Amino acid sequence: MIRCGMSQNPILITGAAGFVGLATTEALLTAGRTVIAFDRQPLPAWALARLQPLPGRLVVAQGDVREAGDLDAAFTAAGTMPGAVLHTAVITAGEARERTDPASIVSVNMMGALAVFEAVRRHGVKRLVAPSSIATYGQSPEGEPVLDEVATPARPQGLYGITKLAAEQMMLRLAALHGLSFAAPRLGGVYGPWEWATGVRDTLSPFMQAYEKAEKGQEVLTDWSAPAEHVYVRDVASGLAALLDTPSAQGVFNLGSGVQSTVGEWCDALAKQFPGFSWRMTSPGEAPNVTVHARFTRPPMNIARLKAATSWAPRFSLAAAAADYAEWQKGG
Ligand SMILES: NC(=O)c1ccc[n+]([C@@H]2O[C@H](COP(=O)([O-])OP(=O)(O)OC[C@H]3O[C@@H](n4cnc5c(N)ncnc54)[C@H](O)[C@@H]3O)[C@@H](O)[C@H]2O)c1
C-alpha cells in the first residue's frame, strides 16, 4: 500500500470511507500526499482499487472516532505525525433515524468531534479542518437572497443540522481556548464521484439518484423543481485541501458552488452525456423516482470569504460536472 516517501506531513482523514472523505483522499493522493484514511468501516474494495495506483501514499486505519485508543493508533499509523486532520466522520440522519436512534447521532456528531479535537491536541497537531453543513442554516425564509456565514442566522431543524452546528461551535470555542488553528467549512449539498450508500447517510443526493437512472436508460420523474445550492465533490475536495494547507484560514466558511441549480437542470446536463435520457415533472398522484431530502428553496452560499482566505475557487459548472462524473464512472 505504501508507494513512496513524501516531503510533507501526512493528512489524517476521519470518515475516509465516506463520500467526502474518499473524494478528498483521491485529491490529496493525486497531489502526491500521504493520507491516513480512518473509518470504522473498511474502505470499500472498489475504492481501494482506484486509490492505490495514485502517486501518494495511502495508509488505512480502522476504528471509531469516539475511541481515544483507535484515534491514537491512527495518528501514529504513518510513522510521521499528521500535519493536519480532516474530520468528516458523521451520521447524516433522516427523520426515521432521528426518531429511533437520537443517541447515536448526538454521540458520533458531538462526542466524536470532541474526541477528535482532544486527539489533535494530545498529538500536538496544529491544524484541524472539520466540515460543517449548509444544514446549519436550516430552512431560509422566502426571499433570502444568499446564505452568509455572518449575516444569516443559523436555524437548523433536524438533529443532523443541530449537532453539526453544536459541534462546529464547540470546536471553535475549544480552538480559541487552546490556540489551535481550526476551520469549519459549511458544505453545500454535495454530488459527484465517490458517493455511495455508507449506511449512515439516510438519503443519497438527488443528483446521484438521477445519474443512476440516466446510466440505466430510465426516465427521471421528479416532483421537486425548487432551486438549491449544489456543489460538485471535486470542488469540495479542492476547497478542503486548500483549507488543510492554509492554517491562517480560521473560523466558519461557506464551501459551495455559490449558485443554485435544480434537478431538472442537472438532468439536462446529464442528457448531453447519455443520449436518449429524459426527465419530466410528475403528474398529480404520480410517484417520483428521485427523492429530495431538503424540500425547500435553498439560496446560494456566499463563498467570498473562503475565496479570499485561500487560493480556492469552484471550477465545475453542471455541464462540466456531468462530463467529469461520466468519465469517472468509466474509470477515467
Ligand atoms: N454529503 C453532503 O451532501 C454533505 C453536505 C454538507 C456537509 N457534509 C459534511 O461532510 C462530511 C462528510 O459527510 P459525507 O457525506 O461524506 O458522509 P458519509 O456518510 O458518506 O461518510 C461518513 C463516514 O463516516 C464514517 N463514520 C460514521 N461514524 C463513525 C465513527 N463513529 N467512527 C469512525 N467513522 C465513522 C462512516 O463509516 C462513513 O464512512 C460531514 O462532516 C458532513 O456533515 C456533507
CSV table of all heavy atoms in Angstrom, one decimal, residues 2 10-12 34-38 57-62 69-82 123:
chain,number,residue,atom,x,y,z
A,2,ILE,N,2.0,1.2,0.7
A,2,ILE,CA,2.9,2.3,0.7
A,2,ILE,C,3.7,2.5,-0.6
A,2,ILE,O,4.3,1.5,-1.0
A,2,ILE,CB,3.9,2.2,1.9
A,2,ILE,CG1,3.1,2.2,3.2
A,2,ILE,CG2,4.9,3.3,1.9
A,2,ILE,CD1,3.9,1.9,4.4
A,10,PRO,N,1.8,13.8,6.7
A,10,PRO,CA,0.5,13.2,6.3
A,10,PRO,C,-0.7,14.0,6.7
A,10,PRO,O,-0.6,14.8,7.6
A,10,PRO,CB,0.5,11.8,7.1
A,10,PRO,CG,1.9,11.6,7.6
A,10,PRO,CD,2.5,12.9,7.7
A,11,ILE,N,-1.8,13.7,6.0
A,11,ILE,CA,-3.1,14.3,6.4
A,11,ILE,C,-3.9,13.1,6.9
A,11,ILE,O,-4.0,12.1,6.3
A,11,ILE,CB,-3.8,14.9,5.2
A,11,ILE,CG1,-3.0,16.0,4.5
A,11,ILE,CG2,-5.2,15.4,5.6
A,11,ILE,CD1,-2.8,17.2,5.3
A,12,LEU,N,-4.4,13.2,8.1
A,12,LEU,CA,-5.3,12.2,8.7
A,12,LEU,C,-6.8,12.6,8.4
A,12,LEU,O,-7.2,13.7,8.7
A,12,LEU,CB,-5.1,12.1,10.2
A,12,LEU,CG,-6.2,11.2,11.0
A,12,LEU,CD1,-6.2,9.8,10.5
A,12,LEU,CD2,-5.9,11.3,12.5
A,34,THR,N,0.6,12.1,1.5
A,34,THR,CA,0.3,10.9,2.3
A,34,THR,C,-1.0,11.1,3.1
A,34,THR,O,-1.2,12.1,3.7
A,34,THR,CB,1.4,10.6,3.4
A,34,THR,OG1,2.7,10.4,2.6
A,34,THR,CG2,1.1,9.4,4.2
A,35,VAL,N,-1.9,10.1,3.0
A,35,VAL,CA,-3.2,10.2,3.7
A,35,VAL,C,-3.3,9.0,4.6
A,35,VAL,O,-3.1,7.8,4.2
A,35,VAL,CB,-4.3,10.2,2.6
A,35,VAL,CG1,-5.7,10.1,3.3
A,35,VAL,CG2,-4.3,11.4,1.7
A,36,ILE,N,-3.7,9.3,5.9
A,36,ILE,CA,-4.1,8.2,6.8
A,36,ILE,C,-5.6,8.2,6.7
A,36,ILE,O,-6.3,9.1,7.1
A,36,ILE,CB,-3.6,8.5,8.2
A,36,ILE,CG1,-2.1,8.7,8.3
A,36,ILE,CG2,-4.0,7.3,9.1
A,36,ILE,CD1,-1.6,9.3,9.6
A,37,ALA,N,-6.2,7.1,6.2
A,37,ALA,CA,-7.6,7.0,6.0
A,37,ALA,C,-8.2,6.2,7.1
A,37,ALA,O,-8.1,5.0,7.2
A,37,ALA,CB,-7.9,6.3,4.6
A,38,PHE,N,-8.9,6.9,8.0
A,38,PHE,CA,-9.5,6.3,9.2
A,38,PHE,C,-11.0,6.3,9.1
A,38,PHE,O,-11.7,7.3,8.8
A,38,PHE,CB,-9.1,7.2,10.4
A,38,PHE,CG,-9.6,6.7,11.7
A,38,PHE,CD1,-9.0,5.7,12.4
A,38,PHE,CD2,-10.7,7.3,12.3
A,38,PHE,CE1,-9.5,5.3,13.7
A,38,PHE,CE2,-11.2,6.9,13.5
A,38,PHE,CZ,-10.6,5.9,14.2
A,57,ARG,N,0.9,8.3,-0.9
A,57,ARG,CA,0.9,7.1,0.0
A,57,ARG,C,-0.4,7.0,0.8
A,57,ARG,O,-0.7,8.0,1.5
A,57,ARG,CB,2.1,7.3,0.9
A,57,ARG,CG,2.3,6.2,1.9
A,57,ARG,CD,3.4,6.5,2.9
A,57,ARG,NE,3.4,5.6,4.0
A,57,ARG,CZ,3.9,5.9,5.2
A,57,ARG,NH1,4.5,7.1,5.4
A,57,ARG,NH2,3.9,5.0,6.2
A,58,LEU,N,-1.0,5.8,0.7
A,58,LEU,CA,-2.3,5.6,1.4
A,58,LEU,C,-2.0,4.7,2.6
A,58,LEU,O,-1.5,3.6,2.4
A,58,LEU,CB,-3.3,5.0,0.5
A,58,LEU,CG,-4.6,4.7,1.1
A,58,LEU,CD1,-5.4,5.9,1.6
A,58,LEU,CD2,-5.5,3.9,0.1
A,59,VAL,N,-2.4,5.1,3.8
A,59,VAL,CA,-2.3,4.3,5.0
A,59,VAL,C,-3.7,4.1,5.6
A,59,VAL,O,-4.3,5.1,5.8
A,59,VAL,CB,-1.4,4.9,6.1
A,59,VAL,CG1,-1.3,4.1,7.3
A,59,VAL,CG2,0.0,5.2,5.5
A,60,VAL,N,-4.1,2.9,5.7
A,60,VAL,CA,-5.5,2.7,6.2
A,60,VAL,C,-5.5,2.3,7.7
A,60,VAL,O,-4.7,1.5,8.1
A,60,VAL,CB,-6.2,1.6,5.3
A,60,VAL,CG1,-7.6,1.3,5.8
A,60,VAL,CG2,-6.2,2.0,3.9
A,61,ALA,N,-6.4,3.0,8.4
A,61,ALA,CA,-6.5,2.7,9.8
A,61,ALA,C,-8.0,2.6,10.2
A,61,ALA,O,-8.8,3.4,9.8
A,61,ALA,CB,-5.9,3.8,10.7
A,62,GLN,N,-8.4,1.5,10.9
A,62,GLN,CA,-9.8,1.3,11.2
A,62,GLN,C,-10.1,1.5,12.6
A,62,GLN,O,-9.3,1.1,13.5
A,62,GLN,CB,-10.3,-0.1,10.8
A,62,GLN,CG,-11.7,-0.2,10.5
A,62,GLN,CD,-12.2,-1.6,9.9
A,62,GLN,OE1,-11.3,-2.2,9.3
A,62,GLN,NE2,-13.4,-1.9,10.1
A,69,GLY,N,-8.2,5.3,22.0
A,69,GLY,CA,-7.2,4.4,21.6
A,69,GLY,C,-7.1,4.2,20.1
A,69,GLY,O,-6.1,4.1,19.5
A,70,ASP,N,-8.3,4.1,19.5
A,70,ASP,CA,-8.4,3.9,18.0
A,70,ASP,C,-7.8,5.2,17.3
A,70,ASP,O,-7.0,5.0,16.3
A,70,ASP,CB,-9.8,3.8,17.5
A,70,ASP,CG,-10.5,2.5,18.0
A,70,ASP,OD1,-9.8,1.6,18.5
A,70,ASP,OD2,-11.7,2.3,17.8
A,71,LEU,N,-8.1,6.3,17.8
A,71,LEU,CA,-7.5,7.6,17.2
A,71,LEU,C,-6.0,7.6,17.4
A,71,LEU,O,-5.3,7.9,16.5
A,71,LEU,CB,-8.2,8.8,17.9
A,71,LEU,CG,-9.6,9.1,17.4
A,71,LEU,CD1,-10.2,10.2,18.3
A,71,LEU,CD2,-9.7,9.5,15.9
A,72,ASP,N,-5.5,7.2,18.6
A,72,ASP,CA,-4.1,7.3,18.8
A,72,ASP,C,-3.4,6.4,17.8
A,72,ASP,O,-2.3,6.7,17.3
A,72,ASP,CB,-3.8,6.8,20.3
A,72,ASP,CG,-4.2,7.9,21.3
A,72,ASP,OD1,-4.4,9.0,20.9
A,72,ASP,OD2,-4.2,7.6,22.5
A,73,ALA,N,-3.9,5.2,17.6
A,73,ALA,CA,-3.3,4.3,16.6
A,73,ALA,C,-3.3,4.9,15.2
A,73,ALA,O,-2.3,4.7,14.5
A,73,ALA,CB,-4.1,2.9,16.6
A,74,ALA,N,-4.4,5.6,14.9
A,74,ALA,CA,-4.4,6.2,13.6
A,74,ALA,C,-3.4,7.4,13.4
A,74,ALA,O,-2.7,7.5,12.4
A,74,ALA,CB,-5.8,6.7,13.3
A,75,PHE,N,-3.3,8.2,14.5
A,75,PHE,CA,-2.3,9.3,14.4
A,75,PHE,C,-0.9,8.8,14.2
A,75,PHE,O,-0.1,9.6,13.6
A,75,PHE,CB,-2.4,10.1,15.7
A,75,PHE,CG,-3.5,11.2,15.7
A,75,PHE,CD1,-4.8,10.9,15.8
A,75,PHE,CD2,-3.1,12.5,15.5
A,75,PHE,CE1,-5.8,11.9,15.8
A,75,PHE,CE2,-4.1,13.5,15.5
A,75,PHE,CZ,-5.5,13.2,15.6
A,76,THR,N,-0.6,7.6,14.7
A,76,THR,CA,0.8,7.2,14.6
A,76,THR,C,1.0,6.2,13.5
A,76,THR,O,2.1,5.6,13.3
A,76,THR,CB,1.2,6.5,15.9
A,76,THR,OG1,0.3,5.5,16.3
A,76,THR,CG2,1.3,7.5,17.1
A,77,ALA,N,-0.1,5.9,12.7
A,77,ALA,CA,0.0,4.8,11.7
A,77,ALA,C,0.9,5.0,10.5
A,77,ALA,O,1.4,4.1,9.9
A,77,ALA,CB,-1.5,4.6,11.1
A,78,ALA,N,1.2,6.3,10.2
A,78,ALA,CA,2.1,6.5,9.1
A,78,ALA,C,3.6,6.6,9.5
A,78,ALA,O,4.4,6.8,8.6
A,78,ALA,CB,1.7,7.8,8.4
A,79,GLY,N,3.9,6.6,10.8
A,79,GLY,CA,5.3,6.7,11.2
A,79,GLY,C,5.7,8.2,11.4
A,79,GLY,O,6.6,8.4,12.1
A,80,THR,N,5.0,9.1,10.8
A,80,THR,CA,5.2,10.5,10.9
A,80,THR,C,3.9,11.1,11.4
A,80,THR,O,2.8,10.8,10.9
A,80,THR,CB,5.6,11.2,9.6
A,80,THR,OG1,6.6,10.4,9.0
A,80,THR,CG2,6.1,12.6,9.8
A,81,MET,N,3.9,12.0,12.3
A,81,MET,CA,2.7,12.7,12.8
A,81,MET,C,2.0,13.5,11.7
A,81,MET,O,2.7,14.1,10.9
A,81,MET,CB,3.1,13.6,14.0
A,81,MET,CG,2.0,13.8,15.0
A,81,MET,SD,0.9,12.5,15.5
A,81,MET,CE,1.9,11.5,16.6
A,82,PRO,N,0.6,13.4,11.7
A,82,PRO,CA,-0.1,14.2,10.7
A,82,PRO,C,0.3,15.7,10.8
A,82,PRO,O,0.4,16.2,11.9
A,82,PRO,CB,-1.5,14.0,11.0
A,82,PRO,CG,-1.6,12.7,11.8
A,82,PRO,CD,-0.3,12.6,12.5
A,123,HIS,N,-1.8,14.9,20.4
A,123,HIS,CA,-0.6,14.6,19.5
A,123,HIS,C,0.1,15.8,19.0
A,123,HIS,O,1.0,15.7,18.1
A,123,HIS,CB,-1.1,13.7,18.4
A,123,HIS,CG,-1.6,12.4,18.8
A,123,HIS,ND1,-0.7,11.3,19.1
A,123,HIS,CD2,-2.8,11.9,19.2
A,123,HIS,CE1,-1.3,10.3,19.5
A,123,HIS,NE2,-2.6,10.5,19.6
